[in-house]
């Protein structure tokens, strides 16, 4: 089957799922506004232009008889040619008359309720079973994810091998973004913390300061709507006590990863991590930053908490990020029949075996 045929089948399967939801709910239409759901229903198309928003320049409206892209005359032809596969119609309104879109939606729903991922006015939220299906990735989605994860990890490796201690955090972030864009990947998030700021902030947005003797680089890298999330560290002229502390954090992470299995709840992973922090004598760390959770079409679809009842299934992707004392570890994993597959593993990056998994060490570069 060609890529075009696979994409067409993926769209057909998802439209069937949406139409089954319409039939059981009695609604007249499903309206998908978010860039995440747009990518999901179009099998990897993008409605993103301004990358700091979670809704894009187009929506998809699905009824029993049609699947229609709603956009304006600025975007319509580009979306038709470059982003949206066959099988969708288009409703293109003048950019200065957005009210025409609302009239079209009301007419398409034929007086029945409208379901939406981001409901407004009288619209209703998507049913939970449908939201859960978005978290379970099919074969074609998994193939796109593997390629994204590998290339995002290669971009990370490339940049940190080139980094120098006199680079500013903003220079390192810029180099990271450049490496991702050259691979056709959106740098949805790039965090950098140098030696001074690393122990101070969990979310260190890049500053003008030189990175100094060590640095952390974080990617949330998006392509085809999917997110590859990973964190790496570089050290210049020796790591001091960092390897000891990092291996202790790896043990915490290993406990959490071992708890990921079909049929378990996401909260069980949180509790496993909490217990591991307790054994590592850093019990407060779990309250200082979230631990990650399910990823996919959002950097975090669902964050693990003590009460997150979401049941884990094969086909789900995960990005956990245990951290403490200027240390963090993060990769993107896919849950398959043989357990967790690390999508962001790069064999060119130094690693160590931790309970049967290769986990990233600090990259040591001569100063």
């Amino acid at each position: 089957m060609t890529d075009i045929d696979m994409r067409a089948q993926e769209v057909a399967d998802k439209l069937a799922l949406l139409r089954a939801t319409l039939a059981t709910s009695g609604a007249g239409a499903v309206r998908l506004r978010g860039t995440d759901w747009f990518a999901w229903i179009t099998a990897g198309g993008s409605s993103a232009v301004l990358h700091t928003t979670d809704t894009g320049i187009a929506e998809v409206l699905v009824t029993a008889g049609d699947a229609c892209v709603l956009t304006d005359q600025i975007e319509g032809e580009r979306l038709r040619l470059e982003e949206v596969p066959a099988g969708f119609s288009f409703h293109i309104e003048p950019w200065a008359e957005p009210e025409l879109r609302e009239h079209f939606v009301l007419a398409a729903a034929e007086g029945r309720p409208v379901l939406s991922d981001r409901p407004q006015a009288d619209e209703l939220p998507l049913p939970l079973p449908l939201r859960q299906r978005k978290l379970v990735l099919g074969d074609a989605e998994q193939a796109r994810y593997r390629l994204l994860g590998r290339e995002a990890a290669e971009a990370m490796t490339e940049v940190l091998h080139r980094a120098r201690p006199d680079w500013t955090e903003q220079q390192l972030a810029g180099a990271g973004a450049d490496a991702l864009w050259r691979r056709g990947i959106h740098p949805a998030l790039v965090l950098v913390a140098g030696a001074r700021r690393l122990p101070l902030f969990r979310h260190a947005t890049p500053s003008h300061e030189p990175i100094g003797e060590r640095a952390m680089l974080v990617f949330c890298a998006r392509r085809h709507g999917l997110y590859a999330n990973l964190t790496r560290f570089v050290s210049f002229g020796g790591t001091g006590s960092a390897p000891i502390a990092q291996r202790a954090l790896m043990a915490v992470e290993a406990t959490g990863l071992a708890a990921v299995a079909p049929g378990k709840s996401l909260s069980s992973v949180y509790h496993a991590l909490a217990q591991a922090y307790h054994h590592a004598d850093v019990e407060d760390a779990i309250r200082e930053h979230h631990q990650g959770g399910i990823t996919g079409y959002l950097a975090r679809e669902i964050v693990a908490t003590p009460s997150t009842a979401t049941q884990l299934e094969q086909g789900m992707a995960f990005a956990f990020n245990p951290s403490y004392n200027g240390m963090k570890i993060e990769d993107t994993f896919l849950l398959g029949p043989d357990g967790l597959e690390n999508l962001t593993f790069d064999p060119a990056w130094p690693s160590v075996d931790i309970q049967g998994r290769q986990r990233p060490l600090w990259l040591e570069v001569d100063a």
Side-chain angles (χ1 to χ4, degrees), residues 173-192:
D178 174 73
L180 291 173
W181 275 121
R182 283 190 281 106
R183 292 167 169 84
I185 301 171
H186 302 163
L189 175 142
V190 180
L191 297 179
V192 176

Side-chain angles (χ1 to χ4, degrees), residues 40-56:
W40 178 81
I41 189 58
T42 59
S46 175
S47 62
V49 171
L50 182 62
H51 291 287
T52 55
T53 64
D54 64 356
T55 56

Side-chain angles (χ1 to χ4, degrees), residues 76-159:
E77 190 62 12
R78 180 182 63 83
L79 291 174
R80 191 196 308 271
L81 293 175
E82 298 181 349
E83 297 291 351
V84 178
F88 292 86
S89 64
F90 279 75
H91 171 75
I92 300 175
E93 75 271 359
W95 65 264
E97 301 179 73
E99 66 278 4
L100 296 180
R101 183 181 303 186
E102 303 309 313
H103 297 325
F104 179 85
V105 171
L106 289 175
E110 298 179 336
R112 288 174 288 170
V114 175
L115 306 176
S116 179
D117 60 316
R118 289 161 174 81
Q120 298 178 8
D122 295 329
E123 296 169 352
L124 302 176
L126 299 179
L128 179 60
L130 178 59
R131 301 200 305 270
Q132 184 86 358
R133 286 303 91 202
K134 173 170 168 267
L135 307 179
V136 180
L137 306 173
D139 290 344
E141 291 168 305
Q142 292 180 27
R144 292 195 290 270
Y145 222 154
R146 288 186 180 95
L147 182 59
L148 166 63
R150 186 181 77 233
E151 292 188 359
E154 289 171 352
M156 178 77 78
T157 299
E158 172 196 315
V159 169

Side-chain angles (χ1 to χ4, degrees), residues 194-207:
R196 188 189 74 82
R197 298 173 74 234
L198 184 54
L200 301 178
F201 310 117
R202 291 295 204 272
H203 282 166
T205 55
S207 80

Side-chain angles (χ1 to χ4, degrees), residues 244-363:
I244 298 173
Q246 183 72 355
R247 291 202 183 215
L249 184 58
M250 289 176 177
V252 171
E253 182 203 43
T255 300
L257 294 179
V260 178
K264 289 191 174 183
S265 68
L266 188 56
S267 62
S268 68
V269 182
Y270 175 94
H271 290 297
L273 287 167
Q275 191 65 23
Y277 281 122
H278 175 76
H279 285 306
D281 201 26
V282 285
E283 189 169 352
D284 288 343
I286 200 165
R287 290 185 286 273
E288 295 169 354
H289 192 270
H290 74 78
Q291 303 302 298
I294 298 171
T295 185
Y297 286 97
L298 292 171
R300 297 296 187 273
E301 294 270 12
I302 303 177
V303 171
T305 73
S307 58
T308 314
T310 305
Q311 183 171 309
L312 309 186
E313 300 181 45
Q314 284 189 27
M316 286 183 174
F318 301 88
F320 297 104
N321 45 248
S323 64
Y324 62 80
N325 293 339
M327 299 285 166
K328 181 169 174 262
I329 188 166
E330 179 185 25
D331 275 295
T332 300
F333 294 88
L334 179 68
L335 182 57
D338 299 319
L340 288 174
E341 173 189 353
N342 187 349
L343 301 182
T344 46
F345 174 72
D346 182 0
W349 187 271
S351 62
V352 63
D353 185 286
I354 301 292
Q355 298 186 22
R357 293 188 180 91
Q358 292 297 310
R359 305 306 298 126
L361 294 168
W362 286 43
L363 177 67

